[in-house]
Amino acid sequence: MDDDKMNGDETTPVDADAADEPKFVIKDESEDDEPKKSGRFLREIAIIVAIVLGLMFVFTQFFFRQYVVPSESMEPTLMGCTGCSNDRIVVDKMVYRFSDPEPGDVVVFKAPTSSWDGTWVSPRSSNPVVHKIQDVLSWFSLSPPDENNLVKRVIAVGGQTVQCTNADGKGVTVNGKPLDEPYIDKSMQVNTNTETDGALGGGSCYGSDFGPVKVPDGNVWVMGDNRSNSADSRAHVDDELQGTIPVSDIRGKVRFILYPFSRFGGVGSVNPQG
């Protein structure tokens, strides 16, 4: 009988060395790479977001910040009114680190005394958690600051005396010299005077007499371009600062209008003292 036959079945010789060889399974490498790629993508996104927020923080705190004009007090230079597209302005925060405000500068400042607050209401939520989130967002200019900010034009600086008497017909004077104020729309003042039956916008002061007020060193006297419709320094002469604004409360100089795009452009300084 043939040794390779048993019970009629054929047997195949087995190579012992082949049985001991390791077996390899071919795997799709993309299966392992997917989690790695996903994690890498998320890390890159996080880094980009951190860089953007970092730049926004630096620019907001030290260079530029956006504000919204709250009222019509600076028309026609800056527009603002209830229900309209209020001007979005960009303020230069660096300029007064190296120089002092000058007559004619349009500035944003924090209300220096409670007399300026009027009907102002904090933009913060009453919910303490949301309030804190809004505080953090304000660091990046993604939420308004929790302070009453106003925008006016500097008329007089420390050491100067400002005054207006309707009877003399000179208008606002600084150190006795009448101002040249081309930014005032006189027809707008006449219209306001007519619409209010003489209550606002009358005379060469476009309002009531005031002064003389000597501006303390380190302070400025500010007024709105829409003179007959502006609760500016004149309205606060009875407070502890006589309506003047400490330079330390000025947040910056208005450089340009960012929005609406139809009004996009620079905001210049016009020195009314000549």
Side-chain angles (χ1 to χ4, degrees):
M1 180 181 286
D2 191 338
D3 291 339
D4 287 337
K5 301 245 181 161
M6 186 175 286
N7 296 329
D9 294 331
E10 285 189 3
T11 61
T12 304
V14 178
D15 188 340
D17 292 336
D20 292 335
E21 288 181 0
K23 294 180 175 62
F24 297 96
V25 178
I26 298 176
K27 237 175 125 180
D28 186 354
E29 293 182 0
S30 64
E31 293 178 6
D32 286 337
D33 285 346
E34 277 302 320
K36 293 179 181 177
K37 288 180 179 177
S38 177
R40 189 181 306 119
F41 175 75
L42 291 176
R43 282 196 301 273
E44 290 174 352
I45 291 296
I47 291 171
I48 292 171
V49 170
I51 291 173
V52 170
L53 288 176
L55 291 173
M56 290 176 66
F57 176 82
V58 170
F59 270 77
T60 295
Q61 298 299 318
F62 302 105
F63 294 98
F64 300 97
R65 186 176 187 120
Q66 176 185 305
Y67 289 87
V68 179
V69 177
S71 73
E72 67 274 21
S73 69
M74 281 296 293
E75 292 181 357
T77 304
L78 302 173
M79 306 294 287
C81 60
T82 303
C84 69
S85 294
N86 294 341
D87 284 351
R88 269 66 172 173
I89 55 177
V90 174
V91 166
D92 179 352
K93 300 188 70 172
M94 285 291 290
V95 61
Y96 298 136
R97 295 178 186 273
F98 305 101
S99 63
D100 294 323
E102 297 180 353
D105 289 356
V106 179
V107 299
V108 168
F109 60 94
K110 180 189 76 169
T113 65
S114 59
S115 73
W116 290 80
D117 287 340
T119 59
W120 178 76
V121 177
S122 170
R124 293 294 183 264
S125 170
S126 58
N127 183 304
V129 175
V130 176
H131 186 118
K132 184 58 67 176
I133 292 173
Q134 290 173 325
D135 284 342
V136 173
L137 290 175
S138 73
W139 300 346
F140 307 97
S141 200
L142 296 175
S143 176
D146 190 18
E147 62 184 25
N148 182 15
N149 294 128
L150 303 101
V151 57
K152 306 290 180 190
R153 190 182 296 272
V154 175
I155 299 300
V157 296
Q160 297 184 323
T161 299
V162 60
Q163 181 177 10
C164 192
T165 305
N166 281 293
D168 63 20
K170 293 181 180 180
V172 178
T173 64
V174 173
N175 292 343
K177 181 181 177 181
L179 302 182
D180 179 16
E181 302 187 283
Y183 40 76
I184 294 179
D185 185 336
K186 294 181 180 179
S187 62
M188 185 180 292
Q189 312 313 307
V190 172
N191 290 339
T192 300
N193 184 250
T194 302
E195 291 167 1
T196 61
D197 294 325
L200 298 173
S204 60
C205 299
Y206 302 119
S208 302
D209 294 0
F210 67 87
V213 175
K214 184 173 182 179
V215 182
D217 289 337
N219 288 28
V220 297
W221 177 274
V222 297
M223 300 179 78
D225 290 357
N226 188 4
R227 195 60 51 81
S228 61
N229 223 335
S230 175
D232 46 42
S233 288
R234 297 169 296 171
H236 306 281
V237 291
D238 293 329
D239 71 14
E240 56 266 41
L241 298 175
Q242 286 192 284
T244 64
I245 310 297
V247 172
S248 59
D249 285 333
I250 295 178
R251 295 300 180 240
K253 180 179 180 179
V254 179
R255 288 297 190 184
F256 61 90
I257 299 169
L258 180 66
Y259 183 85
F261 298 128
S262 60
R263 288 178 48 74
F264 181 87
V267 176
S269 296
V270 180
N271 187 346
Q273 297 183 24

